[in-house]
């Protein structure tokens, strides 16, 4: 199954046969919900619904209201005539004090639950009965034979954000497997050629941002065109239809790959475009809803107030979060990182943690098997299988597919833990979340004690990871430690990284304290690994990443910590070269673009932060700026009294930049790399002033 669509009370299901033919199946779609009256009696609500022309069918059914309930309640199962009728019924029932269940799911999600088979997985379809049956994939690594076409859009506009009402499409670039195809000419010609090209390629996925797909539809309307870019008739409305094809954002396609997208569809029971674009918490909710329906349990609304009110002191006493043992700032050698494999999901499964098994007293019932533990177990085993495959297989397509699948499942299994106590979780129980944390802390303490008993020094520990060292220890020594921890804790643990050198920088505001969750190092195989430093952050300019990585490489061209200290000057020269290039204007502006996220509308900010000024510049150019949008800019005149001259967001990759400000940023990034070796910012600046006369008159130390 490729994807599904719903329109005017009909469901459309697109299947791809083994021969590659795409088949469309049409069936009626009657959305449903369950009703339990509170003030009126059951017969009164029944009569009210029965008289409505928007009701297709009514039934009385017995359902469970929660997982541990043995008693069932009588509810009305109502099916509407279609989507509009469904909305009308919801409005009318909300006016009569009724409890509503199973009503806040997306329509395509409801359809997938009724079909009971996931998209992008092998299925069987019985045409006489109209039934679908899932085929066991036997942990197959290869993704389905889905074809895709990448679509890039270029718009003729002056500003950063095109306006579909005024800015025409200048060019469309299409790419499948071969060389790209460029569509040019008048806008009407480009759109007409696009329709022909998509019908010729016949892709299952169109890889483009949804906003680009909408932009094409808007411009088609303006050009009085009715484009059929899907596999169904375009209908009578102007615009563009994509039915029968899934629109997938390029970033999602690159992040998960086709095998990963298939795994997300399999887990969430959603069509592919929703499976990759919805927040991971909603994917967890989708799986839980599907499993609850299978168990005859009613679905309360997602905004279910299921958390008991407690004093802040009670919250603090109940949950101390994950346990962290901070490192002493400095550089260490021969350090091994051991990570518990999917620690939180394993705790859920091994300790029977679930919404109904963790009581208010904190006691956990060992029987019956918990709902959350039961559904997590299958996906945990599946993820660990793909993770083992990814490590064992030689480089190639199968290894890539295994990595894509385990990565997709890792993203949802991590969220299962956090979502367990979330107030937006319709089944959530904060005690469940707190119990997972308590067990996690207990396990980490046990692992630390085992390491110390075996003569290892614990350098650092963070929730589910420990970093240990022993003089002259080899891989077999660390493997023995891993085996002992796994045996005594009952949870699987792996050697994640074996560092030749690892450095923990101090806090810049207080050098005597370590910076939390920040380190960089070199593995025994020569690979550079880093976490939390500027090079890892997406909001930093490309130049910062390049310089930090080069400095790390130069520092760790050594066989001992003594030699690392001897390489400080080599790292300093990397910095000095970058500073010189900046001051001479030889760095391309593209490498200096800064990206920041707007957390609210720019007009609601009291302070004129650089990214807020950038957003206001774009608004002045006619751009539509909303909260949670990224804004890109370069710093032009950081010390200007006019805030609008400080940054340039209109065309940041081509603008002039403020070398002094970027040198300041670069020095701060260099401090991160050199501070574990007790090199301060003042020392860095003094060194630079000796090598680079340009900055002798500038007081960067006080910036």
């Amino acid at each position: 199954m490729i994807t599904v669509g719903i329109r005017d009370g009909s469901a459309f299901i697109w299947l791809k046969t083994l021969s590659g033919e795409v088949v469309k199946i049409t069936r009626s779609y009657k959305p449903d919900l369950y009703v339990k009256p509170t003030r009126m009696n059951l017969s009164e609500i029944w009569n009210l619904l029965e008289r409505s022309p928007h009701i297709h069918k009514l039934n009385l059914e017995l359902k469970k209201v929660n997982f541990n309930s043995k008693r069932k309640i009588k509810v009305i199962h109502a099916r509407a005539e279609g989507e509009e009728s469904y909305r009308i019924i919801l409005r009318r029932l909300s006016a009569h004090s009724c409890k509503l269940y199973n009503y806040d799911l997306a329509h395509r999600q409801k359809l997938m639950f009724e079909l009971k088979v996931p998209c992008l997985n092998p299925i069987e379809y019985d045409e006489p009965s109209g039934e679908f049956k899932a085929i066991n994939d036997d942990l197959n690594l290869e993704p389905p034979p889905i074809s895709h076409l990448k679509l890039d859009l270029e718009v003729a506009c002056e500003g950063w954000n095109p306006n579909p009402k005024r800015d025409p499409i200048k060019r469309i670039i299409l790419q499948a497997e071969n060389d790209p195809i460029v569509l040019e000419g008048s806008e009407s010609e480009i759109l007409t050629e696009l329709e022909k090209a998509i019908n010729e390629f016949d892709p299952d996925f169109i890889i483009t941002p949804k906003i680009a797909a909408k932009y094409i539809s808007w411009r088609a309307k303006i050009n009085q065109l009715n484009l059929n870019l899907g596999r169904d008739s375009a209908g009578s409305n102007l615009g563009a239809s994509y039915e029968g094809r899934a629109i997938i954002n390029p970033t999602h396609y690159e992040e998960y790959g086709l095998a990963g997208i298939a795994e997300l569809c399999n887990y969430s029971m959603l069509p592919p475009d929703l499976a990759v674009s919805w927040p991971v918490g909603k994917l967890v909710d989708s799986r839980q809803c599907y499993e609850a329906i299978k168990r005859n349990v009613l679905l309360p609304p997602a905004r279910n107030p299921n958390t008991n009110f407690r004093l802040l002191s009670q919250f603090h006493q109940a949950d101390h979060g994950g346990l962290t043992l901070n490192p002493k700032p400095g550089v260490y050698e021969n350090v091994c990182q051991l990570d518990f494999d999917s620690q939180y999901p394993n705790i859920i499964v091994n300790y029977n943690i679930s919404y109904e098994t963790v009581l208010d007293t904190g006691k956990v019932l060992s029987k019956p098997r918990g709902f959350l533990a039961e559904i997590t177990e299958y996906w945990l085993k599946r993820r660990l299988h793909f993770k083992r495959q990814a490590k064992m297989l030689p480089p190639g397509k199968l290894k890539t597919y295994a990595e894509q699948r385990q990565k997709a499942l890792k993203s949802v299994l991590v969220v299962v833990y956090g979502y367990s106590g979330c107030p937006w979780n319709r089944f959530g129980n904060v005690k469940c979340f707190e119990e997972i944390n308590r067990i996690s802390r207990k396990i980490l303490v046990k692992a630390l004690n085992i390491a110390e008993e075996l003569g290892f020094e614990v350098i650092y520990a963070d929730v589910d990871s420990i970093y240990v060292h022993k003089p002259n220890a080899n891989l077999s020594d660390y493997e023995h430690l891993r085996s002992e921890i796994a045996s005594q804790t009952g949870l699987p643990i792996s050697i994640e990284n074996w560092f030749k050198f690892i450095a923990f920088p101090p806090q810049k505001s207080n050098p005597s304290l370590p910076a939390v969750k920040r380190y960089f190092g070199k593995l025994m195989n020569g690979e550079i690994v880093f976490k939390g430093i500027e090079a890892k952050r997406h909001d930093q300019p490309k130049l910062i990443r390049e310089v930090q990585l080069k400095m790390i490489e130069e520092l760790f061209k050594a066989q001992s910590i003594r030699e690392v200290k001897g390489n400080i000057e080599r790292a300093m020269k990397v910095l000095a070269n970058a500073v010189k290039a900046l001051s001479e204007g030889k760095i391309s502006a593209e490498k200096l673009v800064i990206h920041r996220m707007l957390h609210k509308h720019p007009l609601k900010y009291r302070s004129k932060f650089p990214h807020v000024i950038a957003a206001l510049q774009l608004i002045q150019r006619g751009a539509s700026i909303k909260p949670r949008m990224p804004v890109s800019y370069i710093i032009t005149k950081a010390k200007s009294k006019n805030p609008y001259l400080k940054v340039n967001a209109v065309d940041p990759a081509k603008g002039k930049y403020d070398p002094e400000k970027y040198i300041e940023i670069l020095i701060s990034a260099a401090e991160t790399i050199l501070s574990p070796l007790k090199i301060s910012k003042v020392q860095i600046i003094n060194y630079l002033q000796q090598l680079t006369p340009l900055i002798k008159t500038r007081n960067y130390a006080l910036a």
Side-chain angles (χ1 to χ4, degrees), residues 64-69 288 292 295 297 355-356 371 427:
K64 294 194 293 184
V65 292
N66 51 52
F67 301 112
N68 57 1
S69 175
Q288 291 185 162
R295 289 160 174 76
V297 175
Y355 310 122
E356 75 283 11
F371 168 76
F427 305 115

Side-chain angles (χ1 to χ4, degrees), residues 192-204:
T192 303
E193 287 301 311
L194 174 65
E195 182 180 48
K196 292 179 183 177
I198 287 182
N199 287 330
E200 181 182 345
F201 280 109
D202 193 24
D204 303 311

Side-chain angles (χ1 to χ4, degrees), residues 356-480:
E356 75 283 11
T357 62
V358 182
L359 308 181
D360 288 340
T361 60
K363 180 182 177 182
V364 181
L365 301 176
S366 58
K367 292 182 180 180
R369 185 67 168 155
F371 168 76
L372 187 61
E374 185 179 340
I375 64 173
T376 301
E377 184 171 16
Y378 170 78
W379 299 102
L380 174 60
K381 288 180 178 178
R382 188 174 175 90
R383 188 246 161 173
L384 293 178
H385 168 80
F386 291 136
K387 185 179 179 181
R388 286 192 296 270
Q389 293 285 89
K391 286 187 175 181
M392 291 167 48
L393 289 167
K397 286 186 176 181
L398 289 180
K399 187 181 185 71
T400 300
Y401 297 150
E403 184 59 39
Q404 289 174 352
R405 289 185 182 274
Q406 78 86 16
K407 182 181 177 183
L409 289 177
K410 178 182 179 180
S411 68
V412 292
L413 287 170
V414 166
V415 173
V416 167
Y417 146 72
Y419 196 64
S420 65
C422 176
W424 297 96
N425 183 347
R426 66 185 80 227
F427 305 115
N429 174 3
V430 71
K431 287 286 186 180
C432 179
F433 173 80
E434 292 169 355
E435 181 63 13
I436 296 170
N437 280 336
R438 186 191 70 80
I439 296 170
S440 171
R441 294 194 301 273
K442 179 182 175 182
I443 288 170
L444 187 62
V445 169
K446 186 160 191 153
L448 298 179
N449 288 335
I450 294 169
E452 290 185 351
E453 288 170 5
L454 293 176
F456 290 88
E457 178 189 2
V458 178
I459 304 296
Y460 171 50
D462 185 11
V463 183
D464 62 350
S465 301
I466 64 170
Y467 297 70
V468 295
H469 162 77
K470 182 191 281 189
N472 303 316
N474 55 35
L475 194 57
S476 63
D477 295 322
Y478 291 122
E479 175 59 32
H480 175 65

Side-chain angles (χ1 to χ4, degrees), residues 65-358:
V65 292
N66 51 52
F67 301 112
N68 57 1
S69 175
K70 294 181 180 179
R71 186 177 66 88
K72 296 181 180 180
I73 63 169
K74 190 177 287 186
V75 289
I76 299 172
H77 186 196
R79 284 196 177 272
E81 287 292 350
E83 304 97 285
E84 182 58 34
S85 293
Y86 192 73
R87 286 190 287 270
I88 293 170
I89 291 168
L90 280 177
R91 284 199 300 268
R92 291 183 178 176
L93 285 173
S94 62
H96 299 83
S97 298
C98 298
K99 280 191 174 181
L100 303 180
Y101 299 93
N102 298 46
Y103 71 90
D104 59 351
L105 303 177
H107 286 298
R108 291 201 291 158
Q109 185 181 21
K110 280 178 173 286
L111 174 61
M112 293 300 303
F113 287 2
E114 291 179 7
L115 297 177
K116 300 179 182 178
V117 292
C119 284
L120 306 186
N121 267 35
I123 63 169
E124 290 179 353
Y125 173 63
D126 182 60
E127 191 170 358
S129 66
E131 291 185 357
F132 296 85
K133 181 182 177 182
I135 299 174
N136 187 352
D137 67 354
D138 294 321
L139 299 172
N140 183 35
L141 290 175
E142 291 193 14
I146 294 294
S147 61
H148 70 272
L149 181 67
K150 292 182 180 178
L151 188 156
D152 287 327
L153 195 64
E154 291 186 18
V155 176
C157 70
E158 295 182 2
W160 174 78
N161 196 14
N163 187 330
K165 293 180 180 179
R166 66 159 190 261
D167 298 326
I169 295 171
K170 181 173 66 175
R171 185 182 295 111
I172 290 178
I173 303 170
L174 302 175
Q175 185 164 12
E177 299 297 333
N178 301 319
D179 295 334
I181 298 173
V182 181
L183 306 179
E184 294 180 302
S186 69
E187 187 175 45
S188 179
E189 291 172 342
I190 291 172
L191 294 173
T192 303
E193 287 301 311
L194 174 65
E195 182 180 48
K196 292 179 183 177
I198 287 182
N199 287 330
E200 181 182 345
F201 280 109
D202 193 24
D204 303 311
F205 286 1
I206 297 178
I207 312 298
T208 195
K210 284 192 176 181
I211 188 66
K214 288 181 180 179
Y215 202 98
I216 289 170
S217 188
W218 286 327
R219 296 306 301 175
K221 286 181 183 179
I222 290 173
N223 283 271
Q224 296 292 301
L225 293 174
N226 181 8
L227 296 181
N228 181 13
L229 304 182
R231 286 177 163 138
D232 209 349
S233 58
S236 57
N237 296 328
L238 296 177
S241 167
Y242 298 93
E243 289 191 14
R245 311 190 200 278
I247 306 295
I248 305 294
N249 192 295
T251 56
H252 295 146
Y253 192 81
E254 291 172 9
E255 180 180 3
Y256 294 112
L258 186 53
I261 294 173
E263 207 59 47
L264 290 179
C265 290
N266 192 15
Y267 176 85
S268 65
M269 294 297 292
L270 292 170
D273 56 320
L274 298 185
V276 297
S277 62
W278 277 14
V280 180
K282 287 189 71 174
L283 303 191
V284 174
D285 176 67
S286 186
R287 187 75 220 179
Q288 291 185 162
C289 289
Y290 179 68
E291 296 288 347
I293 290 171
K294 284 168 60 177
R295 289 160 174 76
N296 211 29
V297 175
L298 293 169
L299 306 181
R303 299 183 182 184
N304 189 31
N306 46 34
T307 302
N308 295 326
F309 287 99
R310 290 183 287 175
L311 296 174
L312 184 61
S313 59
Q314 292 174 314
F315 268 112
H316 178 71
Q317 185 178 4
D319 185 16
H320 299 285
L323 180 62
T324 300
L325 179 66
N326 289 332
K328 182 180 178 182
V331 180
Y332 302 84
E333 61 182 327
N334 190 12
V335 173
C336 186
Q337 175 192 354
L338 294 94
D339 282 10
F340 283 99
D341 299 332
S342 297
Q343 188 195 59
Y344 288 146
N346 266 303
I347 288 173
I348 291 170
V349 171
N350 291 4
Y351 289 82
N352 200 37
I353 306 295
S354 188
Y355 310 122
E356 75 283 11
T357 62
V358 182

Side-chain angles (χ1 to χ4, degrees), residues 543 575-588 592 657-664 666 688 691-696 698 700:
L543 178 68
L575 174 63
N577 290 336
V579 167
K580 187 172 185 295
L582 271 171
S583 62
E584 294 175 354
K586 293 182 178 179
I587 301 294
S588 66
L592 302 176
Y657 59 83
D658 181 343
E660 185 174 342
K661 183 61 180 177
Y662 279 104
I663 290 171
E664 178 188 323
L666 199 55
L688 288 174
L691 266 68
T692 313
L694 175 78
I695 68 168
K696 280 186 177 179
R698 297 178 181 171
Y700 290 103

